[in-house]
Amino acid sequence: MNNPWLSLVIPVFNEQENLHELIQRCLAVFTTLEKPFEIILVDDGSHDDSVTMITQAAEENRGQVIGILLNRNYGQHAAVMAGLAESRGEVVVTLDADLQNPPEEIPKLLAPIEAGCDVVGSIRKNRQDSLFRRLSSRLINKAVQQATGVMMHDYGCMLRAYRRPIVDAMLQCHERSTFIPVLANSFADKTDEVEVTHAGRAKDESKYNLWKLINLQFDLLTSMTTFPLRLLSILGGVISLAGFAFSFLLLASRLLFGAAWAAEGVFTIFAVLFIFVGVQLLAMGLMGEYIGRIYSDVRARPRYFIKKRVGQELESSSSADNTVLKTVINE
Ligand code: UDP
Ligand code: MG
């Protein structure tokens, strides 16, 4: 069987309200492209009807819609990685299942790809998210730009297109905590960005609660750079210098004004101590973030586990069974 030219990878987590429309709209867009394509829906352990809907869509559109069902919830980026590993297209596009980015915008991304770009990102026009989400992602975008040296305005938007070599490079990275857009940019040579429209979540809530969001930000931070560690040492140096200066000041005052003055300064010292303790705790917490990730990488568990494949041609599904088997044996 010939490989498709385009693979669309969509992570799905409890998206039963959106799935039907999503699949129909994607199929409509791709039919107009007149190039062989595949739509890979990766179910990230949904508890709702998503699995049945994906299975049904895969059976109705054999060879065009492929369902990859993970055995539990691994998180959006792990699910996308699972989809990337299954994809065969020369060009791979990722998209969220929530229809916040309309599938009709995909052809816009393909133009720069055909012009020779490795990675094409997207910028959300009049973004429909809460102020908190907008502010936090602005901060993050700035940090990523600093760290990877690649200028992109919007790292949060998952509507993105990658060329096959970039996808292959990403698949060779074995760290567990990945943030795909940043990972891709670290391999990309030529990149581009296009503006896409962004709608509010039509039918339900964001699948990210505060906790998952915090986790994602730490993933991003630790996956792209160890600069915070250096920042810690710089900060530590500055603070201890200030501490030294302060103790000299205290000593001088003690000599100048006598013991009575120094006794009243006890609380100042306490205050200073508290600051130090606080900073140390902060430093330990951040190092803990890295160590936690080292720990999970050292354990080297499979990033995800495919429970079942649906809608693939027979030939590839038998080799697929082998991979599942292999992973089980490795365990
Ligand atoms: N998602 C996932 N696993 C998760 C959380 C989210 O596969 O644990 C999927 C979700 O179904 C959607 C995409 O990731 O397709 C983005 O999620 P969402 O729209 O909730 O994120 P937001 O728009 O708030 O960034
Ligand atoms: Mg969304």
Side-chain angles (χ1 to χ4, degrees):
M1 199 185 89
N2 284 340
N3 279 353
W5 180 75
L6 180 74
S7 302
L8 176 66
V9 173
I10 309 178
V12 175
F13 180 54
N14 296 340
E15 301 278 6
Q16 59 180 14
E17 285 90 354
N18 301 317
L19 265 181
H20 184 71
E21 188 185 339
L22 173 79
I23 294 167
Q24 293 316 316
R25 281 169 67 179
C26 288
L27 283 173
V29 170
F30 287 166
T31 321
T32 60
L33 278 182
E34 293 176 347
K35 285 200 168 137
F37 66 89
E38 62 181 2
I39 300 174
I40 301 178
L41 297 160
V42 185
D43 175 70
D44 189 18
S46 305
H47 321 296
D48 63 0
D49 269 347
S50 300
V51 176
T52 0
M53 292 174 76
I54 291 174
T55 315
Q56 198 185 348
E59 265 152 22
E60 280 166 11
N61 306 279
R62 267 198 176 269
Q64 291 189 323
V65 176
I66 293 169
I68 305 291
L69 315 176
L70 304 185
N71 64 335
R72 69 163 172 87
N73 181 251
Y74 288 91
Q76 179 187 359
H77 289 265
V80 173
M81 275 309 228
L84 293 181
E86 295 296 307
S87 69
R88 294 165 300 151
E90 178 50 35
V91 176
V92 181
V93 174
T94 56
L95 176 73
D96 282 352
D98 55 6
L99 291 170
Q100 280 188 286
N101 290 122
E104 289 75 22
E105 302 276 31
I106 294 173
K108 264 198 209 169
L109 295 175
L110 297 178
I113 283 276
E114 277 177 300
C117 285
D118 295 320
V119 175
V120 181
S122 54
I123 308 175
R124 288 171 276 196
K125 252 191 313 209
N126 55 47
R127 199 175 156 186
Q128 304 283 322
D129 275 330
S130 67
L131 184 69
F132 169 69
R133 287 295 301 266
R134 285 210 305 273
L135 281 181
S136 58
S137 49
R138 181 170 312 169
L139 208 76
I140 286 148
N141 291 346
K142 274 259 146 27
V144 181
Q145 272 165 25
Q146 285 281 322
T148 59
V150 176
M151 255 308 267
M152 275 213 178
H153 293 90
D154 198 345
Y155 276 93
C157 192
M158 281 302 277
L159 175 53
R160 292 169 156 265
Y162 310 98
R163 280 202 162 274
R164 171 56 46 189
I166 303 290
V167 174
D168 287 341
M170 286 197 277
L171 290 173
Q172 281 174 33
C173 294
H174 293 289
E175 68 254 42
R176 306 296 126 189
S177 317
T178 41
F179 193 85
I180 290 163
V182 176
L183 192 63
N185 274 6
S186 58
F187 300 116
D189 180 19
K190 228 175 131 220
T191 62
D192 199 358
E193 282 178 301
V194 293
E195 278 209 335
V196 295
T197 51
H198 186 247
R201 239 182 185 274
K203 304 257 167 54
D204 53 351
E205 301 254 278
S206 169
K207 299 293 178 278
Y208 275 99
N209 53 27
L210 186 63
W211 185 246
K212 267 191 170 175
L213 211 61
I214 292 173
N215 200 29
L216 189 73
Q217 309 311 356
F218 270 115
D219 273 355
L220 207 164
L221 188 75
T222 53
S223 73
M224 69 186 174
T225 177
T226 49
F227 181 71
L229 283 177
R230 188 171 303 159
L231 201 67
L232 269 183
S233 352
I234 295 171
L235 202 73
V238 169
I239 287 174
S240 47
L241 271 183
F244 271 121
F246 195 57
S247 56
F248 271 119
L249 195 74
L250 285 177
L251 192 69
S253 307
R254 159 76 179 77
L255 292 177
L256 277 181
F257 306 118
W261 181 89
E264 279 162 34
V266 164
F267 290 113
T268 327
I269 298 173
F270 265 115
V272 173
L273 196 72
F274 283 144
I275 295 172
F276 277 78
V277 170
V279 168
Q280 278 176 350
L281 281 181
L282 197 82
M284 275 163 66
L286 201 65
M287 280 197 252
E289 281 292 331
Y290 283 98
I291 293 167
R293 280 163 176 76
I294 293 169
Y295 171 60
S296 73
D297 275 9
V298 164
R299 281 195 303 183
R301 290 199 183 154
R303 195 183 281 136
Y304 53 81
F305 237 124
I306 293 169
K307 199 165 59 183
K308 198 173 120 195
R309 286 174 169 78
V310 283
Q312 267 175 336
E313 300 297 305
L314 263 181
E315 178 196 289
S316 48
S317 80
S318 72
S319 73
D321 284 345
N322 286 342
T323 22
V324 176
L325 256 183
K326 255 188 251 150
T327 347
V328 175
I329 290 165
N330 283 346
E331 267 284 277

